[in-house]
Amino acid sequence: MNTFGRNFRCTTFGESHGTALGVVVDGCPPGIELEETDIQAYLDRRRPGKSPLESPRNEADRVEILSGVFLGKTTGAPIALLVCNRDVRSADYDALQDVFRPGHADYTYLAKYGVRDHRGGGRSSGRETLSRVAAGAVAMLCLRRFGIGIRGRILEIHGRSAPEEMEREIRAAQKAGDSVGGIVEVVAEGCPPGLGDPVFGKLDAAIAAAMMGIGAVKGVEIGEGFRAARLFGSENNDAISREGFASNHAGGILGGISTGAEIVVRIAVKPTPSIGKPQRTVDTAGREQEIVIQGRHDPCIAPRIVPVAECMLALVILDSLLEQEKYRSFVR
Amino acid sequence: MNTFGRNFRCTTFGESHGTALGVVVDGCPPGIELEETDIQAYLDRRRPGKSPLESPRNEADRVEILSGVFLGKTTGAPIALLVCNRDVRSADYDALQDVFRPGHADYTYLAKYGVRDHRGGGRSSGRETLSRVAAGAVAMLCLRRFGIGIRGRILEIHGRSAPEEMEREIRAAQKAGDSVGGIVEVVAEGCPPGLGDPVFGKLDAAIAAAMMGIGAVKGVEIGEGFRAARLFGSENNDAISREGFASNHAGGILGGISTGAEIVVRIAVKPTPSIGKPQRTVDTAGREQEIVIQGRHDPCIAPRIVPVAECMLALVILDSLLEQEKYRSFVR
Amino acid sequence: MNTFGRNFRCTTFGESHGTALGVVVDGCPPGIELEETDIQAYLDRRRPGKSPLESPRNEADRVEILSGVFLGKTTGAPIALLVCNRDVRSADYDALQDVFRPGHADYTYLAKYGVRDHRGGGRSSGRETLSRVAAGAVAMLCLRRFGIGIRGRILEIHGRSAPEEMEREIRAAQKAGDSVGGIVEVVAEGCPPGLGDPVFGKLDAAIAAAMMGIGAVKGVEIGEGFRAARLFGSENNDAISREGFASNHAGGILGGISTGAEIVVRIAVKPTPSIGKPQRTVDTAGREQEIVIQGRHDPCIAPRIVPVAECMLALVILDSLLEQEKYRSFVR
Amino acid sequence: MNTFGRNFRCTTFGESHGTALGVVVDGCPPGIELEETDIQAYLDRRRPGKSPLESPRNEADRVEILSGVFLGKTTGAPIALLVCNRDVRSADYDALQDVFRPGHADYTYLAKYGVRDHRGGGRSSGRETLSRVAAGAVAMLCLRRFGIGIRGRILEIHGRSAPEEMEREIRAAQKAGDSVGGIVEVVAEGCPPGLGDPVFGKLDAAIAAAMMGIGAVKGVEIGEGFRAARLFGSENNDAISREGFASNHAGGILGGISTGAEIVVRIAVKPTPSIGKPQRTVDTAGREQEIVIQGRHDPCIAPRIVPVAECMLALVILDSLLEQEKYRSFVR
């Protein structure tokens, strides 16, 4: 299932070491001004190789609009976006052809499909998020029309929240041939109340799926999240005054529907599974092996997940917004 | 959107204080033995009034099978399940007709629909989960054919994990006219590897949506979850031996696909928003009010969420299983 | 797959000789005035036993609204509609338990599901259309808000188009223990231009599926339909003047999108397969049999299909209308 | 809505005079041998310019596989297929920029989207079917595994059914600056019984939608189709013997489910709306105009629709087959 969304539908394709990756965006409203540079700006944020703390894979990640835009504006037709792979070093993965990397999808893909594209993880690679970011960039432009903005940031790396400490943790892990996880927060401002659809189309449920569907994410919470489990009702409820909600423990969603307050989401990112330290595993013949992963990997993937999480939140919110608009002429 | 699932599709209906609640299960495989007592057993677990710590609403919650079963077996036709409401005291809610209860969906429903069924929360009531449990009971019977079992339990109430302490916290909150939250864990045993569909049909994403879509749930995590954000890769990766995974930090899912290990999910349940303590709010005319909620409420909803969470996990896993079966004759 | 529609979603359930039939309508806009009598009026039109030319099965077909309506108006919550079966004479079908009736779904259901509800065709019975008509009645009320009206009529019975000849054909068939087919036309007036979604959500494609999905329908055409295959382009094209289209060969749809002209649909209804004349068939053990079908059957089903076809067209058009509304705030 | 299918999902993109057209096929089973030449063979059949009776647009229509295939076999990942446009003469359409061509989607697209890509019809062009044929070619390869084959042919052109008469009709229309319609038949052999899903996923309903969704198609019939409306039940019912159905008036489908007999479909193709003869129309400012369409057009589109209809039937049948496989391990 490579399509995301009900109204603003994004279908992604492409493997880490294949010919190209891309996305077809179906359901984009007509009349939105869209140029390749708008999308490129987002792709550049998630691109590898921007700092010594990131994978040094050298990809320009140039996006091309193949369809759906005429005279600088969207037409309502599907928008196909394409990014060709350049710096493909599949040979790096030849040694891994028959062995299951711990923490990766190698074993599960083979169990599911009977075949596996071992080159850089194929479809399960983090590189696939490129397609999501390209689509998310288009969604961001649509949301702007409604005054909705989205911003993400890193809250923690390996349990530390001060910037210099976070960087230190990453460097230390990199040096040790290891990796670390972190926590990312994404916030949407300007959402109108009423987004989300009871009881199986709730906004928080859609956000949870979108976030948990990002590789390496193992937890999602909204508003107080897991902390709410330790509060009294009298502490966790948000009082309402004439000016609106007096607090935002709910994280902008009640009963699965947006309240108009900021939507606040936090996700737990696991440490990158590709590490230099030796690990115990088996090969496809069932023989036990020790594996040492070479190649170009991020010692902490959380920073590069920030734009991905922003884009996924944009996709969810735009999708809900379009769903909500359906009933306007009836309700008003 | 009141339908859950792609292959085993459950469409729920009914309000807390309406005529009846129910569910139509579409896509149930034929040939499954199914009687009303099978479903009743699950409904009895979530029924209110079983202990002094629960809402005393007195409902027998008798389920009736209206269709889809012939000579004691499912036929492949949609299974309609109906539960009539009996102990409806809508008058309890008359005082709340024009006022927004903090922490509830009152405001968001009115913002969305322009109208609101104020009697017991209408569709946003926890009573709606009755329909999910009825459908989940059918799913459990189907899963049993594949040797898959699901069990849930409470891990924490208001930060305490010892049973007598948990009960004490609930009693104390009840006495104070307040409420408390908790953490619930659900585990699925016996799942084959290969369930879940990259990249937008991942099993963990589907579980996250299913869990976050339960009212009062504000966080979801799989395996190590938020703890993974504080681990090294070398700690979090599960080594693989000839006997299978040596540990299960991943919680049974890698790359969005089941590994064959236990699937381990934890959810954060917020304290029940209905509390006796006075709260500040506004009415539909925008006037500020103090509200004291009368009526029959659970001081902690976490225990009654356990069967609901089990059932939602059953629905997700069965749905993935049916999806997976599609390709069997090609792959094998 | 017992759900119809993307935005106005109708999930039907129930067998011909089971406890009850019904439908859950999900996605109905809030604020629509709805009473049981509104729906009853449509059900009465398709009810059997209204004339000597129809099946004498004696069903009051009383509909009950179980949910989704509060204070006389829809709330946006799912609307469950229930009709209990009364005049069930399953014993009529005992002789048919092990034999495949020609022209019926007996063989295909058994081939598909391995089991079969032989009582009156179970789910494949024409009685299932009762659920569609109940849902369609709700759709008609919604369409009225937009000034859209739908009307159907019989064009032909057994090749004759004069009313008295049509009746004569039916009587003659009935007397001979045989049955006849016919052609039904359905027209929608007042549809705005712009309904329908290229390239796989075309309005004519959706209409074709809706119509062909009615039991006994074997052909569908829009506008000139099959006659267009025998015309020149210069004859079939509709010239456009300042007042709109000068003709309507297209039947109100161009490129899969409504033009604003009347939408004109014709369907071919096959002769009722249940006939009194002896027929050759086999039983479930593969033995050849001669079958003579007793019971209560319509010698021509076309007249009772008229309200069903109207309702299906209403469902398609409302669904497209809601889809279209999504983009209004962008386009305008 | 540019996605077709539930299990074998094809998302198409691209405009007639844009950069490229293509399709993403999601849900293709893994392990199918697939090369570009397999797809090219089908594209070559629908390519323009093969005879003097077709549009002389000179396109090589070279397809490139961008993803989803590894070592010559499908992997289960989405298969992106791309065809770049070469022979684009958009200037041909400049004169048509502000005028609505009768019989085309010009008016309806503008009414829907507020903008319109006037170059060659943009997305509503017959050239869009290229994407469907590319996807259909993949489906054909999958169907072959099950022994299912599909073949189409022209039955009639402008009311004539002898080959030399059909050709004469086309030549005469071409010479007169006019166009003619026709009837195409498509047949699927080797389908197992049991395909199709009651009551809204019927195989005949899916076929009807697929066929009516092809541009220029105005009617669809299965088996006897419209002729069934003129038959007695005793003539139209297919008797069943130990060897199977004695006749196939039903066209291989009963109750929406395949019987195992040949599936027989006929479609009515309207005359190409682009004609050289002067026509009355209006421009976007509402002024009446006479229009004479220049450019490269087929005087009869029916022959080029044959491979498209075959491919759409392949897509529907494969989709149903995958749906059916879901329940195998339960039913058997």
Side-chain angles (χ1 to χ4, degrees), chain A residues 6-7 27 29 145-146 322 325-327 329-330, chain C residues 6-7 27 29 145-146 322 325-327 329-331:
Chain A
R6 208 181 108 78
N7 299 298
R145 282 241 187 151
F146 284 81
L322 291 170
E325 292 298 298
K326 284 190 329 190
Y327 297 121
S329 40
F330 286 88
Chain C
R6 207 182 109 78
N7 299 298
R145 282 241 187 151
F146 284 80
L322 291 170
E325 292 297 298
K326 282 189 332 190
Y327 298 122
S329 41
F330 286 88
V331 176

PDB file of all heavy atoms in Angstrom, chain A residues 6-7 27 29 145-146 322 325-327 329-330, chain C residues 6-7 27 29 145-146 322 325-327 329-331:
ATOM      1  N   ARG A   6      -6.761  10.189   1.564  1.00  0.00           N
ATOM      2  CA  ARG A   6      -8.056   9.885   0.983  1.00  0.00           C
ATOM      3  C   ARG A   6      -8.449  10.932  -0.046  1.00  0.00           C
ATOM      4  O   ARG A   6      -9.042  10.616  -1.069  1.00  0.00           O
ATOM      5  CB  ARG A   6      -9.084   9.929   2.119  1.00  0.00           C
ATOM      6  CG  ARG A   6     -10.278   9.084   1.939  1.00  0.00           C
ATOM      7  CD  ARG A   6     -11.212   9.254   3.118  1.00  0.00           C
ATOM      8  NE  ARG A   6     -12.374  10.009   2.716  1.00  0.00           N
ATOM      9  CZ  ARG A   6     -13.389   9.507   2.034  1.00  0.00           C
ATOM     10  NH1 ARG A   6     -13.400   8.237   1.712  1.00  0.00           N
ATOM     11  NH2 ARG A   6     -14.400  10.254   1.684  1.00  0.00           N
ATOM     12  N   ASN A   7      -8.111  12.174   0.238  1.00  0.00           N
ATOM     13  CA  ASN A   7      -8.496  13.275  -0.647  1.00  0.00           C
ATOM     14  C   ASN A   7      -7.280  13.832  -1.383  1.00  0.00           C
ATOM     15  O   ASN A   7      -7.350  14.108  -2.567  1.00  0.00           O
ATOM     16  CB  ASN A   7      -9.160  14.380   0.184  1.00  0.00           C
ATOM     17  CG  ASN A   7     -10.406  13.877   0.866  1.00  0.00           C
ATOM     18  OD1 ASN A   7     -11.351  13.479   0.205  1.00  0.00           O
ATOM     19  ND2 ASN A   7     -10.417  13.851   2.183  1.00  0.00           N
ATOM     20  N   GLY A  27      -5.412  14.679  -6.425  1.00  0.00           N
ATOM     21  CA  GLY A  27      -6.394  15.359  -5.584  1.00  0.00           C
ATOM     22  C   GLY A  27      -5.937  16.728  -5.129  1.00  0.00           C
ATOM     23  O   GLY A  27      -6.578  17.341  -4.279  1.00  0.00           O
ATOM     24  N   PRO A  29      -5.887  20.492  -5.158  1.00  0.00           N
ATOM     25  CA  PRO A  29      -6.811  21.480  -5.714  1.00  0.00           C
ATOM     26  C   PRO A  29      -6.177  22.252  -6.866  1.00  0.00           C
ATOM     27  O   PRO A  29      -4.961  22.435  -6.885  1.00  0.00           O
ATOM     28  CB  PRO A  29      -7.080  22.417  -4.525  1.00  0.00           C
ATOM     29  CG  PRO A  29      -6.719  21.636  -3.308  1.00  0.00           C
ATOM     30  CD  PRO A  29      -5.613  20.714  -3.732  1.00  0.00           C
ATOM     31  N   ARG A 145      -2.773  28.671   2.095  1.00  0.00           N
ATOM     32  CA  ARG A 145      -3.996  29.397   1.725  1.00  0.00           C
ATOM     33  C   ARG A 145      -4.945  29.557   2.892  1.00  0.00           C
ATOM     34  O   ARG A 145      -5.787  30.449   2.911  1.00  0.00           O
ATOM     35  CB  ARG A 145      -4.757  28.610   0.663  1.00  0.00           C
ATOM     36  CG  ARG A 145      -4.205  28.726  -0.684  1.00  0.00           C
ATOM     37  CD  ARG A 145      -5.258  29.355  -1.578  1.00  0.00           C
ATOM     38  NE  ARG A 145      -4.797  29.326  -2.940  1.00  0.00           N
ATOM     39  CZ  ARG A 145      -5.583  29.257  -3.985  1.00  0.00           C
ATOM     40  NH1 ARG A 145      -6.904  29.209  -3.815  1.00  0.00           N
ATOM     41  NH2 ARG A 145      -5.088  29.280  -5.188  1.00  0.00           N
ATOM     42  N   PHE A 146      -4.895  28.609   3.824  1.00  0.00           N
ATOM     43  CA  PHE A 146      -5.794  28.623   4.977  1.00  0.00           C
ATOM     44  C   PHE A 146      -5.087  29.151   6.222  1.00  0.00           C
ATOM     45  O   PHE A 146      -5.625  29.071   7.320  1.00  0.00           O
ATOM     46  CB  PHE A 146      -6.331  27.211   5.243  1.00  0.00           C
ATOM     47  CG  PHE A 146      -7.380  26.802   4.287  1.00  0.00           C
ATOM     48  CD1 PHE A 146      -7.055  26.330   3.029  1.00  0.00           C
ATOM     49  CD2 PHE A 146      -8.722  26.931   4.614  1.00  0.00           C
ATOM     50  CE1 PHE A 146      -8.030  25.967   2.123  1.00  0.00           C
ATOM     51  CE2 PHE A 146      -9.707  26.569   3.719  1.00  0.00           C
ATOM     52  CZ  PHE A 146      -9.366  26.090   2.467  1.00  0.00           C
ATOM     53  N   LEU A 322      -9.674  18.961   3.392  1.00  0.00           N
ATOM     54  CA  LEU A 322     -10.456  18.713   2.182  1.00  0.00           C
ATOM     55  C   LEU A 322     -11.702  17.900   2.522  1.00  0.00           C
ATOM     56  O   LEU A 322     -12.791  18.171   2.013  1.00  0.00           O
ATOM     57  CB  LEU A 322      -9.604  17.988   1.142  1.00  0.00           C
ATOM     58  CG  LEU A 322      -8.479  18.822   0.525  1.00  0.00           C
ATOM     59  CD1 LEU A 322      -7.540  17.949  -0.309  1.00  0.00           C
ATOM     60  CD2 LEU A 322      -9.033  19.941  -0.350  1.00  0.00           C
ATOM     61  N   GLU A 325     -14.285  20.184   4.032  1.00  0.00           N
ATOM     62  CA  GLU A 325     -14.893  21.155   3.115  1.00  0.00           C
ATOM     63  C   GLU A 325     -16.132  20.597   2.413  1.00  0.00           C
ATOM     64  O   GLU A 325     -17.011  21.362   2.001  1.00  0.00           O
ATOM     65  CB  GLU A 325     -13.872  21.608   2.060  1.00  0.00           C
ATOM     66  CG  GLU A 325     -12.730  22.432   2.623  1.00  0.00           C
ATOM     67  CD  GLU A 325     -13.208  23.728   3.240  1.00  0.00           C
ATOM     68  OE1 GLU A 325     -13.773  24.561   2.517  1.00  0.00           O
ATOM     69  OE2 GLU A 325     -13.029  23.905   4.471  1.00  0.00           O
ATOM     70  N   LYS A 326     -16.169  19.270   2.274  1.00  0.00           N
ATOM     71  CA  LYS A 326     -17.306  18.609   1.621  1.00  0.00           C
ATOM     72  C   LYS A 326     -18.663  19.068   2.119  1.00  0.00           C
ATOM     73  O   LYS A 326     -19.633  19.130   1.377  1.00  0.00           O
ATOM     74  CB  LYS A 326     -17.261  17.092   1.905  1.00  0.00           C
ATOM     75  CG  LYS A 326     -16.296  16.317   1.169  1.00  0.00           C
ATOM     76  CD  LYS A 326     -16.490  14.819   1.333  1.00  0.00           C
ATOM     77  CE  LYS A 326     -17.057  14.363   2.665  1.00  0.00           C
ATOM     78  NZ  LYS A 326     -16.981  12.887   2.811  1.00  0.00           N
ATOM     79  N   TYR A 327     -18.730  19.301   3.449  1.00  0.00           N
ATOM     80  CA  TYR A 327     -20.026  19.543   4.067  1.00  0.00           C
ATOM     81  C   TYR A 327     -20.349  21.025   4.222  1.00  0.00           C
ATOM     82  O   TYR A 327     -21.399  21.382   4.713  1.00  0.00           O
ATOM     83  CB  TYR A 327     -20.079  18.860   5.431  1.00  0.00           C
ATOM     84  CG  TYR A 327     -19.949  17.372   5.327  1.00  0.00           C
ATOM     85  CD1 TYR A 327     -18.928  16.702   5.961  1.00  0.00           C
ATOM     86  CD2 TYR A 327     -20.851  16.643   4.555  1.00  0.00           C
ATOM     87  CE1 TYR A 327     -18.806  15.327   5.847  1.00  0.00           C
ATOM     88  CE2 TYR A 327     -20.736  15.275   4.432  1.00  0.00           C
ATOM     89  CZ  TYR A 327     -19.704  14.616   5.077  1.00  0.00           C
ATOM     90  OH  TYR A 327     -19.586  13.272   4.949  1.00  0.00           O
ATOM     91  N   SER A 329     -21.244  23.486   2.290  1.00  0.00           N
ATOM     92  CA  SER A 329     -22.451  24.094   1.710  1.00  0.00           C
ATOM     93  C   SER A 329     -23.719  23.530   2.353  1.00  0.00           C
ATOM     94  O   SER A 329     -24.784  24.119   2.217  1.00  0.00           O
ATOM     95  CB  SER A 329     -22.486  23.885   0.191  1.00  0.00           C
ATOM     96  OG  SER A 329     -22.044  22.613  -0.140  1.00  0.00           O
ATOM     97  N   PHE A 330     -23.604  22.431   3.054  1.00  0.00           N
ATOM     98  CA  PHE A 330     -24.745  21.929   3.809  1.00  0.00           C
ATOM     99  C   PHE A 330     -24.817  22.606   5.185  1.00  0.00           C
ATOM    100  O   PHE A 330     -25.869  23.044   5.612  1.00  0.00           O
ATOM    101  CB  PHE A 330     -24.649  20.410   4.012  1.00  0.00           C
ATOM    102  CG  PHE A 330     -24.948  19.621   2.787  1.00  0.00           C
ATOM    103  CD1 PHE A 330     -23.958  19.316   1.881  1.00  0.00           C
ATOM    104  CD2 PHE A 330     -26.240  19.190   2.515  1.00  0.00           C
ATOM    105  CE1 PHE A 330     -24.231  18.581   0.735  1.00  0.00           C
ATOM    106  CE2 PHE A 330     -26.525  18.451   1.373  1.00  0.00           C
ATOM    107  CZ  PHE A 330     -25.511  18.153   0.481  1.00  0.00           C
TER     108      PHE A 330
ATOM    109  N   ARG C   6     -18.235   6.729  -1.701  1.00  0.00           N
ATOM    110  CA  ARG C   6     -16.980   7.180  -1.109  1.00  0.00           C
ATOM    111  C   ARG C   6     -17.239   8.229  -0.045  1.00  0.00           C
ATOM    112  O   ARG C   6     -16.567   8.272   0.976  1.00  0.00           O
ATOM    113  CB  ARG C   6     -16.163   7.821  -2.233  1.00  0.00           C
ATOM    114  CG  ARG C   6     -14.699   7.794  -2.058  1.00  0.00           C
ATOM    115  CD  ARG C   6     -14.045   8.495  -3.229  1.00  0.00           C
ATOM    116  NE  ARG C   6     -13.506   9.747  -2.791  1.00  0.00           N
ATOM    117  CZ  ARG C   6     -12.364   9.869  -2.116  1.00  0.00           C
ATOM    118  NH1 ARG C   6     -11.647   8.812  -1.822  1.00  0.00           N
ATOM    119  NH2 ARG C   6     -11.937  11.049  -1.724  1.00  0.00           N
ATOM    120  N   ASN C   7     -18.217   9.070  -0.299  1.00  0.00           N
ATOM    121  CA  ASN C   7     -18.510  10.168   0.623  1.00  0.00           C
ATOM    122  C   ASN C   7     -19.821   9.927   1.365  1.00  0.00           C
ATOM    123  O   ASN C   7     -19.905  10.155   2.564  1.00  0.00           O
ATOM    124  CB  ASN C   7     -18.580  11.480  -0.153  1.00  0.00           C
ATOM    125  CG  ASN C   7     -17.280  11.793  -0.833  1.00  0.00           C
ATOM    126  OD1 ASN C   7     -16.262  11.967  -0.191  1.00  0.00           O
ATOM    127  ND2 ASN C   7     -17.287  11.825  -2.170  1.00  0.00           N
ATOM    128  N   GLY C  27     -21.795   9.418   6.425  1.00  0.00           N
ATOM    129  CA  GLY C  27     -21.358  10.555   5.629  1.00  0.00           C
ATOM    130  C   GLY C  27     -22.514  11.439   5.210  1.00  0.00           C
ATOM    131  O   GLY C  27     -22.341  12.342   4.387  1.00  0.00           O
ATOM    132  N   PRO C  29     -24.671  14.521   5.359  1.00  0.00           N
ATOM    133  CA  PRO C  29     -24.448  15.846   5.945  1.00  0.00           C
ATOM    134  C   PRO C  29     -25.399  16.084   7.116  1.00  0.00           C
ATOM    135  O   PRO C  29     -26.523  15.568   7.127  1.00  0.00           O
ATOM    136  CB  PRO C  29     -24.764  16.806   4.791  1.00  0.00           C
ATOM    137  CG  PRO C  29     -24.626  16.001   3.561  1.00  0.00           C
ATOM    138  CD  PRO C  29     -25.019  14.605   3.932  1.00  0.00           C
ATOM    139  N   ARG C 145     -31.917  19.765  -1.657  1.00  0.00           N
ATOM    140  CA  ARG C 145     -31.312  21.041  -1.243  1.00  0.00           C
ATOM    141  C   ARG C 145     -30.618  21.757  -2.385  1.00  0.00           C
ATOM    142  O   ARG C 145     -30.417  22.964  -2.356  1.00  0.00           O
ATOM    143  CB  ARG C 145     -30.235  20.782  -0.184  1.00  0.00           C
ATOM    144  CG  ARG C 145     -30.765  20.532   1.155  1.00  0.00           C
ATOM    145  CD  ARG C 145     -30.237  21.608   2.076  1.00  0.00           C
ATOM    146  NE  ARG C 145     -30.600  21.286   3.428  1.00  0.00           N
ATOM    147  CZ  ARG C 145     -29.913  21.637   4.479  1.00  0.00           C
ATOM    148  NH1 ARG C 145     -28.784  22.344   4.323  1.00  0.00           N
ATOM    149  NH2 ARG C 145     -30.309  21.344   5.674  1.00  0.00           N
ATOM    150  N   PHE C 146     -30.155  20.960  -3.356  1.00  0.00           N
ATOM    151  CA  PHE C 146     -29.432  21.527  -4.494  1.00  0.00           C
ATOM    152  C   PHE C 146     -30.322  21.609  -5.723  1.00  0.00           C
ATOM    153  O   PHE C 146     -29.842  21.867  -6.817  1.00  0.00           O
ATOM    154  CB  PHE C 146     -28.194  20.669  -4.803  1.00  0.00           C
ATOM    155  CG  PHE C 146     -27.088  20.880  -3.840  1.00  0.00           C
ATOM    156  CD1 PHE C 146     -27.085  20.273  -2.607  1.00  0.00           C
ATOM    157  CD2 PHE C 146     -26.054  21.756  -4.154  1.00  0.00           C
ATOM    158  CE1 PHE C 146     -26.061  20.484  -1.708  1.00  0.00           C
ATOM    159  CE2 PHE C 146     -25.027  21.977  -3.256  1.00  0.00           C
ATOM    160  CZ  PHE C 146     -25.032  21.337  -2.028  1.00  0.00           C
ATOM    161  N   LEU C 322     -20.767  15.666  -3.203  1.00  0.00           N
ATOM    162  CA  LEU C 322     -19.963  15.869  -1.996  1.00  0.00           C
ATOM    163  C   LEU C 322     -18.479  15.903  -2.352  1.00  0.00           C
ATOM    164  O   LEU C 322     -17.718  16.712  -1.822  1.00  0.00           O
ATOM    165  CB  LEU C 322     -20.243  14.748  -0.980  1.00  0.00           C
ATOM    166  CG  LEU C 322     -21.637  14.783  -0.362  1.00  0.00           C
ATOM    167  CD1 LEU C 322     -21.913  13.503   0.431  1.00  0.00           C
ATOM    168  CD2 LEU C 322     -21.802  15.994   0.558  1.00  0.00           C
ATOM    169  N   GLU C 325     -17.632  19.288  -3.757  1.00  0.00           N
ATOM    170  CA  GLU C 325     -17.664  20.407  -2.804  1.00  0.00           C
ATOM    171  C   GLU C 325     -16.321  20.624  -2.104  1.00  0.00           C
ATOM    172  O   GLU C 325     -16.022  21.727  -1.660  1.00  0.00           O
ATOM    173  CB  GLU C 325     -18.755  20.165  -1.748  1.00  0.00           C
ATOM    174  CG  GLU C 325     -20.164  20.226  -2.295  1.00  0.00           C
ATOM    175  CD  GLU C 325     -20.519  21.590  -2.858  1.00  0.00           C
ATOM    176  OE1 GLU C 325     -20.514  22.564  -2.096  1.00  0.00           O
ATOM    177  OE2 GLU C 325     -20.774  21.681  -4.076  1.00  0.00           O
ATOM    178  N   LYS C 326     -15.540  19.539  -2.028  1.00  0.00           N
ATOM    179  CA  LYS C 326     -14.226  19.602  -1.367  1.00  0.00           C
ATOM    180  C   LYS C 326     -13.365  20.761  -1.826  1.00  0.00           C
ATOM    181  O   LYS C 326     -12.589  21.323  -1.062  1.00  0.00           O
ATOM    182  CB  LYS C 326     -13.412  18.344  -1.727  1.00  0.00           C
ATOM    183  CG  LYS C 326     -13.758  17.120  -1.018  1.00  0.00           C
ATOM    184  CD  LYS C 326     -12.765  16.001  -1.280  1.00  0.00           C
ATOM    185  CE  LYS C 326     -12.038  16.008  -2.596  1.00  0.00           C
ATOM    186  NZ  LYS C 326     -11.283  14.753  -2.819  1.00  0.00           N
ATOM    187  N   TYR C 327     -13.449  21.052  -3.148  1.00  0.00           N
ATOM    188  CA  TYR C 327     -12.519  21.995  -3.736  1.00  0.00           C
ATOM    189  C   TYR C 327     -13.076  23.406  -3.834  1.00  0.00           C
ATOM    190  O   TYR C 327     -12.393  24.310  -4.303  1.00  0.00           O
ATOM    191  CB  TYR C 327     -12.093  21.514  -5.127  1.00  0.00           C
ATOM    192  CG  TYR C 327     -11.384  20.194  -5.081  1.00  0.00           C
ATOM    193  CD1 TYR C 327     -11.851  19.101  -5.772  1.00  0.00           C
ATOM    194  CD2 TYR C 327     -10.235  20.044  -4.309  1.00  0.00           C
ATOM    195  CE1 TYR C 327     -11.195  17.885  -5.712  1.00  0.00           C
ATOM    196  CE2 TYR C 327      -9.573  18.838  -4.245  1.00  0.00           C
ATOM    197  CZ  TYR C 327     -10.066  17.759  -4.946  1.00  0.00           C
ATOM    198  OH  TYR C 327      -9.416  16.563  -4.878  1.00  0.00           O
ATOM    199  N   SER C 329     -13.707  25.892  -1.828  1.00  0.00           N
ATOM    200  CA  SER C 329     -13.032  27.033  -1.212  1.00  0.00           C
ATOM    201  C   SER C 329     -11.679  27.306  -1.865  1.00  0.00           C
ATOM    202  O   SER C 329     -11.109  28.376  -1.699  1.00  0.00           O
ATOM    203  CB  SER C 329     -12.884  26.825   0.291  1.00  0.00           C
ATOM    204  OG  SER C 329     -12.540  25.509   0.575  1.00  0.00           O
ATOM    205  N   PHE C 330     -11.175  26.347  -2.611  1.00  0.00           N
ATOM    206  CA  PHE C 330      -9.961  26.607  -3.375  1.00  0.00           C
ATOM    207  C   PHE C 330     -10.290  27.250  -4.718  1.00  0.00           C
ATOM    208  O   PHE C 330      -9.661  28.202  -5.137  1.00  0.00           O
ATOM    209  CB  PHE C 330      -9.190  25.300  -3.619  1.00  0.00           C
ATOM    210  CG  PHE C 330      -8.486  24.772  -2.417  1.00  0.00           C
ATOM    211  CD1 PHE C 330      -9.134  23.933  -1.530  1.00  0.00           C
ATOM    212  CD2 PHE C 330      -7.177  25.121  -2.148  1.00  0.00           C
ATOM    213  CE1 PHE C 330      -8.487  23.439  -0.407  1.00  0.00           C
ATOM    214  CE2 PHE C 330      -6.513  24.643  -1.029  1.00  0.00           C
ATOM    215  CZ  PHE C 330      -7.171  23.804  -0.159  1.00  0.00           C
ATOM    216  N   VAL C 331     -11.290  26.675  -5.391  1.00  0.00           N
ATOM    217  CA  VAL C 331     -11.569  27.116  -6.758  1.00  0.00           C
ATOM    218  C   VAL C 331     -12.189  28.509  -6.759  1.00  0.00           C
ATOM    219  O   VAL C 331     -11.941  29.314  -7.652  1.00  0.00           O
ATOM    220  CB  VAL C 331     -12.487  26.101  -7.471  1.00  0.00           C
ATOM    221  CG1 VAL C 331     -12.880  26.583  -8.856  1.00  0.00           C
ATOM    222  CG2 VAL C 331     -11.785  24.756  -7.565  1.00  0.00           C
TER     223      VAL C 331
END
